[in-house]
Amino acid sequence: MGTANLVRNALQSAQAYAQKKAAAKDPPAPNLKHEALALVLKKKMPIILSGHRADDLMTGLRIAKEYDLDAMLSLATEGYLIPDAISEAKVPVIVHPTMQRPSSPETFNGHLGNAAFLADRKIPLAICTAFEGYVPKTRVLRYEAAIAMVNGLGHERALRSITLDAAKMLGIDDQFGSIEAGKAADLVLYDGDPFEHATHVTHTIVGGRIIHDRAEYLKLPFERRAIPLSAGGGDYGCCLGEW
C-alpha cells in the first residue's frame, strides 16, 4: 500500500508539473524527475511495475489503467493466479527466473509452470535472469527458459521468450530477435539443442563478425582460457592470475 501511494504521488506530481509548465508564460524551474515521468504519462516510454504477489500485481494493473500508461509487469511470481486479469489489461510480462527459490513470503507461491500459464492466455512474455541474494548470483537465461520449457511452455515458446518475443516487448524486433535478412547479425551457434545443459557454444557472432570460435578457444593453453584482465594488461585470466 505504501509503495502504491508513492507511485501515485509521483505520477500526480508529474501531471501537475506538466500542466503548470504548459500553462505558464514563464516555465517553472526544470524538475528532472517530473520530466522523466512525463515521458511515461505521454506513453513515450513504458513503465515497468514489479511485484511478486497477485494482489500487488493487481494494484499495478489498476495504476496503469488509472493513468492510462503503457505498462509492463515484472517478476510476476503469482501471475499464474491472475492470468485473465493480465490478459484483459493487455500488459506484457517479464517473468522472474523459473528456478527462483521461495525465499520470502512474496515468493512462497512460486510455480515452475508460471510462464506456461501466461503463454496459454496469449500474454506476451519474456523470461529474465533477475537477481539472487545468495552465491552463485549468476542466472543462466537459457537454463531458466529450459525449465519453463519442460514445465508446459514448450520448445518454440521458450525460445521465443528469450529472443523474438523479448525483442517485441522492447520495441526492437525490427532489428533483433529473429534470423532474417536485413536484421542485425548477432548470433550464437551451438553444437546441439541450446536448452540442453551439455550443449556447447561453437561460435558467437556480433554484427556479422565472429568474436568467439570454440575450436580456436580450445587451442589456447588452459591458463589462458579465463576472461583476460580488463586492467593492468596481465597475461593471465582473472580467475587464474594467482596460480
Side-chain angles (χ1 to χ4, degrees):
M1 291 175 62
T3 301
N5 184 57
L6 289 172
V7 173
R8 282 194 170 93
N9 284 341
L11 292 171
Q12 288 171 359
S13 297
Q15 280 185 332
Y17 170 83
Q19 292 168 358
K20 182 178 180 180
K21 182 178 179 180
K25 293 182 179 179
D26 296 320
N31 184 307
L32 297 182
K33 177 181 177 181
H34 294 338
E35 294 283 357
L37 285 176
L39 299 175
V40 172
L41 292 167
K42 294 176 182 178
K43 290 187 173 182
K44 293 183 178 180
M45 179 183 296
I47 184 171
I48 299 176
L49 302 167
S50 299
H52 288 288
R53 289 166 43 124
D55 54 351
D56 289 331
L57 297 174
M58 290 298 295
T59 298
L61 293 178
R62 286 194 295 271
I63 291 174
K65 183 177 181 180
E66 181 179 343
Y67 291 91
D68 189 26
L69 304 176
D70 179 11
M72 299 182 188
L73 293 180
S74 176
L75 305 182
T77 295
E78 294 184 6
Y80 69 94
L81 296 177
I82 54 168
D84 292 334
I86 298 174
S87 177
E88 183 179 350
K90 295 181 172 56
V91 172
V93 181
I94 305 170
V95 182
H96 195 279
T98 309
M99 293 185 284
Q100 72 169 337
R101 300 181 306 156
S103 56
S104 68
E106 285 77 19
T107 58
F108 281 168
N109 292 322
H111 195 297
L112 292 173
N114 187 32
F117 273 91
L118 300 176
D120 286 345
R121 298 301 197 284
K122 308 300 181 184
I123 297 169
L125 65 89
I127 295 175
C128 70
T129 51
F131 168 80
E132 287 291 350
Y134 71 99
V135 177
K137 292 184 174 65
T138 301
R139 288 289 193 181
V140 180
L141 183 59
R142 63 190 181 102
Y143 297 165
E144 300 295 338
I147 296 300
M149 174 188 72
V150 299
N151 282 278
L153 191 58
H155 192 281
E156 181 177 349
R157 293 193 302 187
L159 186 59
R160 287 176 63 96
S161 73
I162 57 175
T163 54
L164 184 58
D165 287 348
K168 286 181 177 179
M169 289 172 61
L170 294 173
I172 57 173
D173 54 297
D174 60 329
Q175 287 293 314
F176 301 94
S178 61
I179 303 174
E180 298 179 50
K183 286 193 173 184
D186 295 350
L187 305 169
V188 180
L189 308 182
Y190 299 92
D191 59 7
D193 188 329
F195 294 139
E196 167 56 51
H197 178 71
T199 295
H200 300 105
V201 173
T202 62
H203 296 81
T204 302
I205 303 171
V206 177
R209 184 171 63 90
I210 297 176
I211 63 170
H212 171 75
D213 183 330
R214 177 174 167 80
E216 294 300 318
Y217 170 77
L218 293 177
K219 293 178 183 179
L220 293 172
F222 178 76
E223 64 272 13
R224 292 295 302 276
R225 293 182 190 176
I227 299 174
L229 290 171
S230 58
D235 291 331
Y236 297 96
C238 62
C239 299
L240 301 174
E242 301 299 323
W243 285 26

